[in-house]
C-alpha cells in the first residue's frame, strides 16, 4: 500500500492547483510555476521588454527577463548560448557544478551552484536558468535559493519548479 501512496504523491506533485502565474505585458502569454509566490513584482515597457521577480516564504527566488531577440538568438538554444555566455563568466560559479540539464525543448536549462557570503555568513546558492524563445523574444528565467554553507541544500523548491514550469495563455 505504501508504494501506491508514494506514486500517487509523485504524480500529483507536478499537478497542483496552486501555482504562480506571471503574464507578460503586451502578449497573450506568460509563465506558470510552483511554488506559489508570496510576493511578485513585474515591470514591462513599451519597447517589448518585460521583467519579473517572485519570492516565496521559504526564500525561493524566481526572476525573469523577456527581451527582444535582436542579435541574441532565434531559438531556445541560441538564446541560451547568448545569455549563458555572459552568465558563465561569474567567478562565484562552481565550475564543476554546471550541468546543461535540458536541450531541444521549449526551454534549455542550465543548473549550477554559486558560493559567496553575506556579511560573515558563507552561502551556497543553488541555481537554474531556463532559456526560451517566443514571439521574437529571448527569455531568461532564473531560479535560486541560498543556504548557509553548513546546511545541506533543500532541492524541493527547484524540483517543484522544474515539474511545473511552462508557458500559459492569458484568459
Amino acid at each position: 500500500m505504501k508504494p501506491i501512496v508514494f506514486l500517487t504523491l509523485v504524480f500529483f506533485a507536478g499537478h497542483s492547483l496552486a501555482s504562480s502565474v506571471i503574464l507578460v505585458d503586451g502578449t497573450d502569454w506568460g509563465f506558470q510555476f510552483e511554488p506559489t509566490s508570496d510576493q511578485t513584482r513585474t515591470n514591462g515597457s513599451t519597447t517589448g521588454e518585460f521583467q519579473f521577480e517572485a519570492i516565496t516564504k521559504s526564500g525561493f527566488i524566481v526572476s525573469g527577463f523577456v527581451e527582444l531577440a535582436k542579435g541574441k538568438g532565434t531559438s531556445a538554444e541560441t538564446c541560451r548560448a547568448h545569455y549563458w555566455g555572459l552568465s558563465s563568466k561569474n567567478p562565484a560559479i562552481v565550475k564543476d557544478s554546471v550541468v546543461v540539464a535540458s536541450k531541444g525543448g521549449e526551454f534549455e536549462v542550465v543548473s549550477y551552484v554559486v558560493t559567496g557570503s553575506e556579511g560573515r555568513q558563507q552561502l551556497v546558492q543553488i541555481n537554474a536558468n531556463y532559456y526560451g524563445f517566443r514571439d521574437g523574444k529571448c527569455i531568461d528565467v532564473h531560479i535560486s535559493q541560498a543556504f548557509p554553507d553548513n546546511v545541506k541544500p533543500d532541492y524541493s523548491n527547484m524540483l517543484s519548479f522544474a515539474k511545473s514550469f511552462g508557458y500559459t495563455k492569458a484568459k
Side-chain angles (χ1 to χ4, degrees), residues 108-131:
E108 298 256 326
V109 182
V110 179
S111 64
Y112 55 99
V113 172
V114 170
T115 57
S117 63
E118 186 173 305
R120 294 183 188 172
Q121 178 67 56
Q122 293 296 312
L123 300 172
V124 173
Q125 184 182 49
I126 55 176
N127 299 267
N129 285 66
Y130 287 68
Y131 301 103

Side-chain angles (χ1 to χ4, degrees), residues 4 27 30 42 50 54 66 70 76 82 84 90-91 93-94 99 108 147 166:
I4 292 172
T27 71
T42 61
F50 180 80
V66 179
K70 294 179 183 173
H82 172 78
W84 182 248
N90 181 345
I93 293 175
V94 177
V99 175
E108 298 256 326
F147 298 89

